[in-house]
Amino acid sequence: MQVDRLPQGGRIDRSRPLSFTFNGRQLSGFEGDTLASALLANGVHLTARSFKYHRPRGIVGSGPEEPSTLVELEGEDASANQPATTVRLRDGLSARSVNCWPSPGFDLGGINQLFARFLPAGFYYKTFKWPNWHLYEPSIRKAAGLAGAPAEPPAEGHFESRFAHADLLIAGAGPAGLMAALVAGRAGLRVMLADEGIEAGGSLLSRKLTIGGQEAMTWVSETVTELAAMPNVTHLQNATVWAYREHNYLMVNERAPENPGLLERNWRVRARHVITATGAIERSLVFGNNDRPGVMLAGAAQTYANRFAVRPGKRAVVVTNNNSAYSAAADLRAAGVEIAAIIDIRRDVPDAARALVPDTEILSAHVLTTALGHRHVRAVEIAPIGGDATRRISCDLLAHSGGWNPAVHLFSQSRGTLRYDETLASFLPDQPAQNTICAGGAAGALTLAEALRSGAKAGARVAGVQAPECPDADDLPYAIEPLWRVETARGKAFLDIQNDVSVDDVHLALREGYDNVEHVKRYTTGGMGIDQGKTGNINIIGTVALKQGLRLDEVGTTTFRAPYTPVSFGAIGGIRGESVVLPYRHTPITEWNLAQGAFMYEAGARWRRPGYFPRPGESFQDTVNRECRAVREGVGVYDGSPLGTFELKGRDAGRFLDHLYTNVMSTLKPGRCRYGLMLTDDGLILDDGVALRLDEHRWIVSTSTGHADVVNSHMEELLQTQFPDWNVFITTVTSQWNNATICGPKAREVMAALEGDIDLSPETLPFMSFAEGTVARLPARVVRVSFTGELSFEVNVAPRHMRALWDAIMEAGAPFGIGPIGSEANHMLRVEKGFLSLGHEVDGTVDPHDLGMGWVMSKKKPDYLGKRSVALRRAGDAVRRELVGVRPTDPNRQIPEGAPLTPGGERKPTEGLVTACVWSVVLNRWVGLALLERGASRHGETVHVRLTDGTIPAEVTAPIFYDPHGGRLKS
C-alpha cells in the first residue's frame, strides 16, 4: 500500500501500476516514478548506510545530485552504484542498498559509529602502516565503499556508440534550453538537444508556475511538439552530456533509447557551438546531524510533492537562507504537509516570500543547530544567531535549502574560468575557452523569466538572429544570505554527505598543512567519486574560507572532471553501427564478408575486417576451429589489405632501413623480402614486418595494421629531425595495394588454377621472394610470405581489381574446399607457430632477446635505432621475462589471457603472465604463450597459473608448437 501517495496530481500514470522489489520487500509504484519517489510513496525512508561511518541515511535529493541513497540493481538491469533518484521504475525492477549488511535497518557495519572519533579523514593511511598497508586494504575497502561491478553482462540487449555533427549542442531541456533550441531550430541550425531527465521541462516539472498565462508544462509540451516537427533538430531525453573535450567534442550518454534490445547509446558529438543550460543544483545547509533520514533538500521535497504526488512527510520544518524554500513550503502545504515553522537565517525576510506561506510561523535570524532522531528525524533544535538552542520543534521532515549553485561542471570541463558572485553567493561561468555559452540557471539566471530570456538570447546569438520576445512568467525573486556552516552545531555536521566528510575533517586537513582547496579535497575525499561536488562543494570552499579568513574567490574551486554522472563501461565501449567523425575504412571485400555472415572487428586505424565466419548451429570455437583446419589441412584465404604499406624511394633508402631495422636490409637483392624488427629509442619493440626491394632505390615496407600510422610518423620524424640530408621519400600506399592471401597445403594448386603468367615453382619463387605479372588476368604482385606458418601466396592488386580477384580465387578454390578465414583463426594459427603479436607478447616491456629473436639483432652493423638502449638494459644481468610456451596439464583447460604465473600458485609476486591461449587443431588441446622470468632456461618445468578460484598447473615448453623447422611455410 502506498501510504504517502497523494490521491491525485503528479506526472505519474496511475493507470499503469508497477511492482518492484527493494531489499527483498515487494512494493508498488506507477509509470513515471523513479525508484526514490516510489520508495517514499511506500513510506520507506531509511534507504541506505553511509560510506564510512555506516550512519542511517535516507533520500536527500530528487535527481543526479542525490548524495545518499545509492542502489545496486539486480537481474536484467544489473548495475551498481545508481542514485535511486535517477533509476526509472519499471515492472519487475529489483534493487538493494549498497554498503550495508544485512540491511539498512540493521547494519553490522554500524559499529563504526561508536568509534567515529577515531576514524577521521585519512586515518587509514596513518594507522595501517605496519607491516604493510596492502594487508589491511581488502578489508577496509570491503567495509567502506560502494557496490562491486556486476558479475555478468546484461542477459539481453546491447550497447551502442554513435557519432554526430551539430551546429549547436544544447545541454539541458529546462526553460532556458528549450527556448534556445526553439530560436536556433527556427533559424535552421542543426540542433542537438540533450537532457538528462525522463521528460523535458527541467525545474518546471517540480514547480507550479505559469508561462504566458498558462501552466508552464503546457508551454513545455507545445515547445517539444514544435521541436519534434523540425527535421533539423535532434531531441534526446534521458541523455546526459557527461564530458566536454577540446574543440567542442562532447559525450552524451543516452539511456534506454526507444529501440528494442538497445540498453544505452553513447554519442560522440562535434558541435560548432555549445549552450550549457544545465540549471542549478540546490546545496545543503551544514548543521548537526544533517544526514539523518527525513532531512531532505527543500527543492527535492517540492519535486516529490508536485511531480510524483508523494507526501515526503507529515509535519515539516523548513530551514533556509534564501527565497526558494518559501515556494517549496507553499507547495508542501498544498500537498497536505503541515509546516511547523520556517527557520530563516536572514533578519529581513522579503514580503513576497512571506506572502506565499500566510499563517505560518517564520523565525528569522535563527539557525537550526541539530536534527534529533536516529533512524528518522523526529525533532529539531533551533537557536537565535549567536545564541544557544532555545527551542525544540517536533517534525518528521526537515526540508532545507542553502541556496543554488549553477551547474558549471561542463563549462569547467571545457576549460572555462569561474568567478565568485557575491549576490548569488556562488561561482558563475566567466571566460569561455571554446565556443560555449551558458544560459538559464547555469549562468546564474535563477528565476523563470530570467531563464527564458537568457535561453532566447543564447540561441539568437548562435543563430545570428534577433532574440524574440519571451512570454510572461511569474516567479519569486531570488535573494540569499550565505551560510557555510552553523558554528553552534551539535553532532556531526556533514559538508559532503556521500563521502562522509564533516566540518571537523576539513579543519583537520587545514591543521595538517593541506591548505590548498585541491589538497583538502584529496585529504578528505570531499567532492570526489560519484558526487563530484554537486551538493557540498561550495560548502567545503566556504568552510575553508571561514577558517583561513579568506574570501571564497581567494580559495578557488576544485577541478570538475568527467563524467558528470556515472557512465557504464558498456556504453563507452558500445558497438558502432556506423561512424561519422572518424569514418570506418573498408576494403572492396567488406560487402562480400558481410554477405557471408562475418562478425566484423575494428582493427588499427578504423579498419573493419572479419573476425570469424559463423555458420548456422556453430559455436564461436567451432567456427574458429573449422577455419584453422582449412588452413592446416587444405586451403584458406583472408583479406590482408589493412596491413600498413609504405613505398620508400631514394638513393639513401637502403641506408635508412638499416638504421630503422635491427637487421641488415641494404644487402637485399631486388625481388627478395626480409623480415625485420623496428625498435624505439629505448630499445623496445615498436613493430615487425617485411621489407621488399623493388629495385636499387625503391622499397616496400609492410607494417602491422594497428601500428601503421605510428610507424609512418616514426619514419617521417627520423628523416626530418635526424637525417634531413638523406635522399629518402616516403609514400603511404596502404590503400593503393589490396591483397588476398591464399594459405594452406593446397595454396599452390589454387594459384595454378587461376589464369596467370607467374612461375610459382619453389625454385623460381622461393620463400621470402616476390614476382610481378598477372593473376586471374589481372596485373598483380605475388609475395611468398607467411603469417600462418603454412605455404602462402600474398596476391597484391589495385583496389579496383580486388573484388574480381577475390571472386576468381573463390571460384578456383572451390574444388579444394577453400573458405575465408578471419582474424580469430589467424591469431590461433600464429600462436601455434609461436609468431609474436603486438599487444600480446610485445607488451611494451620486452626486447627481441626476450622473445628468443636475438638472431634478428645484427652484429655486423655498427649502429641502429635502439641498439645502445638494449645493451644498457641487459648489461646489469637483471632478471628478464622471456617468451615460452605453456601447455596446461589438463589439455581441455583453457588459461585466461593475462593470468599471472606464480611459484606453486601462491600469492607471491608474479613470475610472469600468459599472453595468449588457444585451442590447437593440430595438437587437439589448449596451448599458450607466456612471458616468464628466465623462461628460456625453464623448459620442462611446471608452473602455476593463478586464478581467483584456484590454480592451473602447466608445463613450460618452447614457444613453437607446430612445424618448428619451418618446412611447411617454405614448401
Side-chain angles (χ1 to χ4, degrees):
M1 179 180 179
Q2 299 179 43
V3 295
D4 289 320
R5 181 78 72 180
L6 299 177
Q8 58 186 10
R11 299 189 63 77
I12 55 174
D13 187 350
R14 297 173 190 262
S15 67
R16 298 179 63 186
L18 305 173
S19 177
F20 70 100
T21 302
F22 182 68
N23 288 334
R25 182 181 170 191
Q26 197 75 26
L27 301 169
S28 64
F30 294 109
E31 180 67 33
D33 265 324
T34 63
L35 176 59
S37 66
L39 289 174
L40 290 173
N42 285 275
V44 179
H45 295 272
L46 175 54
T47 55
R49 288 282 174 155
S50 71
F51 180 82
K52 182 165 65 174
Y53 302 117
H54 289 253
R55 289 165 63 99
R57 291 281 171 85
I59 294 166
V60 174
S62 60
E65 79 286 350
E66 169 60 31
S68 182
T69 303
L70 303 179
V71 298
E72 182 173 0
L73 303 183
E74 302 171 314
E76 61 185 74
D77 300 292
S79 62
N81 306 318
Q82 298 287 333
T85 51
T86 63
V87 176
R88 187 173 184 174
L89 197 67
R90 69 160 189 83
D91 200 45
L93 181 78
S94 178
R96 62 183 179 89
S97 304
V98 304
N99 200 40
C100 57
W101 188 84
S103 70
F106 177 71
D107 176 24
L108 291 179
I111 195 173
N112 284 5
Q113 297 172 68
L114 301 177
F115 307 99
R117 61 178 298 183
F118 304 108
L119 306 176
F123 78 94
Y124 29 80
Y125 296 123
K126 302 174 185 177
T127 307
F128 300 102
K129 293 189 295 184
W130 185 89
N132 189 308
W133 154 253
H134 297 291
L135 179 66
Y136 308 100
E137 184 182 12
S139 298
I140 292 175
R141 293 193 180 279
K142 186 176 181 180
L146 307 173
E152 299 290 338
E156 297 182 3
H158 65 278
F159 299 91
E160 182 178 275
S161 183
R162 281 192 182 179
F163 291 90
H165 282 123
D167 296 320
L168 172 62
L169 171 66
I170 302 173
L178 288 173
M179 182 59 77
L182 203 59
V183 173
R186 287 171 176 172
L189 269 63
R190 288 182 302 168
V191 177
M192 176 172 277
L193 174 64
D195 183 78
E196 66 188 359
I198 297 173
E199 58 179 322
S203 61
L204 301 180
L205 293 163
S206 304
R207 305 177 64 191
K208 295 179 178 179
L209 299 173
T210 61
I211 297 178
Q214 60 183 352
E215 290 185 358
M217 286 307 299
T218 301
W219 176 84
V220 170
S221 178
E222 292 173 351
T223 302
V224 169
T225 299
E226 182 176 348
L227 292 174
M230 297 181 184
N232 55 312
V233 175
T234 300
H235 183 182
L236 304 177
Q237 281 300 143
N238 206 8
T240 302
V241 183
W242 61 271
Y244 197 149
R245 304 293 191 227
E246 296 82 359
H247 309 295
N248 274 13
Y249 186 53
L250 298 98
M251 311 292 182
V252 182
N253 182 37
E254 184 184 7
R255 297 168 296 280
E258 299 302 324
N259 187 341
L262 185 57
L263 300 174
E264 294 181 34
R265 178 185 290 133
N266 195 52
W267 293 81
R268 294 168 170 85
V269 184
R270 186 79 71 180
R272 182 173 286 113
H273 298 276
V274 174
I275 294 177
T276 61
T278 46
I281 299 172
E282 193 169 20
R283 63 178 177 251
S284 59
L285 286 169
V286 184
F287 49 84
N289 296 327
N290 61 337
D291 65 326
R292 294 305 191 197
V295 178
M296 184 179 292
L297 293 171
Q302 184 180 26
T303 298
Y304 290 117
N306 290 336
R307 182 176 177 183
F308 300 107
V310 170
R311 186 172 57 237
K314 296 178 176 61
R315 178 179 167 86
V317 170
V318 178
V319 189
T320 187
N321 63 349
N322 67 89
N323 286 358
S324 68
Y326 286 84
S327 65
D331 288 349
L332 286 171
R333 189 164 70 173
V337 178
E338 178 188 354
I339 306 299
I342 298 179
I343 315 302
D344 198 323
I345 75 160
R346 299 173 295 178
R347 294 189 179 277
D348 299 317
V349 180
D351 292 338
R354 290 180 179 272
L356 291 177
V357 284
D359 305 322
T360 298
E361 183 178 14
I362 299 175
L363 297 168
S364 61
H366 277 67
V367 292
L368 186 150
T369 59
T370 187
L372 303 175
H374 182 64
R375 295 190 179 188
H376 198 281
V377 65
R378 55 182 175 81
V380 300
E381 289 185 351
I382 63 172
I385 293 178
D388 297 326
T390 59
R391 183 175 171 186
R392 179 177 294 187
I393 304 174
S394 63
C395 63
D396 65 352
L397 172 64
L398 174 51
H400 63 116
S401 175
W404 294 82
N405 301 326
V408 296
H409 295 68
L410 286 178
F411 182 81
S412 184
Q413 287 180 30
S414 74
R415 293 296 182 258
T417 61
L418 305 176
R419 62 179 177 84
Y420 183 71
D421 186 277
E422 294 283 355
T423 304
L424 299 180
S426 193
F427 286 90
L428 297 181
D430 189 17
Q431 296 298 319
Q434 304 188 49
N435 290 336
T436 310
I437 303 174
C438 295
L446 297 178
T447 67
L448 178 54
E450 291 173 342
L452 291 171
R453 287 194 297 271
S454 175
K457 289 180 181 178
R461 178 178 165 187
V462 172
V465 298
Q466 184 71 30
E469 288 291 327
C470 294
D472 296 332
D474 294 328
D475 197 1
L476 185 67
Y478 183 73
I480 183 174
E481 183 177 318
L483 176 67
W484 307 122
R485 62 184 177 87
V486 176
E487 298 193 31
T488 56
R490 291 195 307 108
K492 279 196 173 293
F494 289 97
L495 298 165
D496 182 331
I497 290 177
Q498 182 171 109
N499 294 300
D500 270 2
V501 178
S502 67
V503 172
D504 291 340
D505 290 327
V506 171
H507 288 174
L508 176 62
L510 296 176
R511 286 198 303 273
E512 298 203 354
Y514 298 95
D515 52 1
N516 183 283
V517 68
E518 289 283 10
H519 295 161
V520 171
K521 173 181 177 179
R522 281 151 185 80
Y523 185 90
T524 65
T525 70
M528 295 177 69
I530 296 173
D531 179 69
Q532 284 297 303
K534 293 183 180 69
T535 58
N537 200 58
I538 196 167
N539 284 331
I540 295 176
I541 297 169
T543 300
V544 172
L546 284 176
K547 191 68 175 177
Q548 295 182 323
L550 301 172
R551 301 190 312 272
L552 269 77
D553 58 338
E554 293 177 308
V555 175
T557 67
T558 56
T559 302
F560 295 102
R561 291 183 171 85
Y564 172 66
T565 53
V567 181
S568 66
F569 285 108
I572 294 173
I575 298 172
R576 296 190 308 173
E578 281 302 328
S579 58
V580 175
V581 176
L582 295 172
Y584 279 132
R585 301 174 71 181
H586 301 276
T587 77
I589 311 303
T590 299
E591 290 186 5
W592 187 93
N593 290 329
L594 293 172
Q596 304 304 308
F599 190 93
M600 304 297 286
Y601 286 177
E602 184 177 318
R606 302 293 176 183
W607 286 100
R608 292 199 78 194
R609 66 183 182 191
Y612 53 97
F613 293 83
R615 292 178 181 174
E618 280 187 338
S619 67
F620 166 81
Q621 194 64 53
D622 292 337
T623 299
V624 179
N625 289 350
R626 171 176 51 79
E627 294 177 16
C628 289
R629 288 193 190 94
V631 175
R632 290 286 184 244
E633 300 171 4
V635 63
V637 60
Y638 65 88
D639 182 2
S641 302
L643 290 173
T645 310
F646 303 92
E647 184 170 323
L648 276 63
K649 295 181 181 179
R651 62 178 178 272
D652 295 312
R655 180 164 62 145
F656 177 62
L657 291 177
D658 280 349
H659 179 77
L660 200 64
Y661 285 99
T662 61
N663 50 343
V664 179
M665 290 293 180
S666 58
T667 58
L668 263 180
K669 296 180 180 180
R672 302 292 296 191
C673 322
R674 186 167 291 162
Y675 173 84
L677 292 178
M678 297 183 192
L679 303 184
T680 59
D681 288 332
D682 55 3
L684 301 177
I685 296 174
L686 172 67
D687 195 67
D688 71 328
V690 175
L692 293 69
R693 190 166 194 170
L694 303 181
D695 55 40
E696 184 179 3
H697 300 308
R698 187 163 165 247
W699 303 69
I700 291 289
V701 170
S702 176
T703 72
S704 63
T705 302
H707 278 196
D709 291 341
V710 174
V711 171
N712 187 26
S713 299
H714 178 63
M715 292 189 295
E716 289 286 2
E717 181 183 2
L718 288 172
L719 287 174
Q720 293 178 35
T721 61
Q722 297 189 32
F723 311 113
D725 298 329
W726 285 13
N727 182 250
V728 181
F729 301 93
I730 301 173
T731 304
T732 302
V733 293
T734 301
S735 297
Q736 181 180 333
W737 290 98
N738 288 166
N739 86 66
T741 302
I742 304 171
C743 49
K746 299 179 181 177
R748 187 170 277 113
E749 287 93 325
V750 174
M751 286 292 295
L754 295 166
E755 296 184 33
D757 60 4
I758 299 175
D759 187 346
L760 302 173
S761 65
E763 297 77 20
T764 305
L765 190 65
F767 182 61
M768 298 302 282
S769 66
F770 68 90
E772 296 181 347
T774 62
V775 175
R777 300 183 179 180
L778 301 171
R781 177 186 295 141
V782 177
V783 187
R784 278 277 288 135
V785 293
S786 176
F787 296 100
T788 61
E790 295 291 344
L791 170 66
S792 298
F793 295 90
E794 184 182 286
V795 184
N796 293 266
V797 296
R800 62 181 177 274
H801 298 317
M802 182 61 178
R803 182 57 191 270
L805 172 68
W806 191 267
D807 291 340
I809 290 172
M810 298 307 295
E811 182 179 353
F816 304 97
I818 196 169
I821 67 171
S823 56
E824 289 286 356
N826 209 317
H827 172 66
M828 293 177 68
L829 295 168
R830 291 174 66 90
V831 172
E832 277 188 333
K833 185 62 179 167
F835 289 161
L836 62 88
S837 294
L838 299 174
H840 287 259
E841 291 72 47
V842 181
D843 64 350
T845 68
V846 297
D847 64 28
H849 295 288
D850 298 326
L851 301 179
M853 300 182 68
W855 56 269
V856 84
M857 308 284 281
S858 175
K859 295 179 177 59
K860 298 180 181 179
K861 292 193 298 183
D863 194 20
Y864 52 82
L865 188 65
K867 179 178 181 178
R868 184 169 182 271
S869 297
V870 172
L872 288 173
R873 183 177 290 108
R874 305 189 72 85
D877 293 327
V879 174
R880 304 284 301 173
R881 290 183 175 180
E882 298 169 339
L883 182 66
V884 297
V886 287
R887 295 159 55 108
T889 303
D890 181 353
N892 296 310
R893 184 75 183 270
Q894 182 182 11
I895 302 174
E897 293 185 0
L901 300 173
T902 58
E906 300 172 5
R907 292 188 175 275
K908 293 182 178 180
T910 64
E911 293 185 321
L913 74 155
V914 177
T915 60
C917 186
V918 300
W919 179 264
S920 169
V921 295
V922 175
L923 302 178
N924 199 33
R925 60 165 297 134
W926 290 98
V927 298
L929 299 175
L931 293 173
L932 180 66
E933 291 180 1
R934 303 181 303 276
S937 62
R938 297 174 65 176
H939 295 182
E941 183 180 326
T942 297
V943 294
H944 292 79
V945 181
R946 193 182 76 218
L947 306 178
T948 56
D949 57 350
T951 62
I952 301 175
E955 179 191 0
V956 178
T957 69
I960 302 176
F961 301 99
Y962 176 71
D963 188 27
H965 303 294
R968 304 273 293 195
L969 80 166
K970 296 176 182 178
S971 58

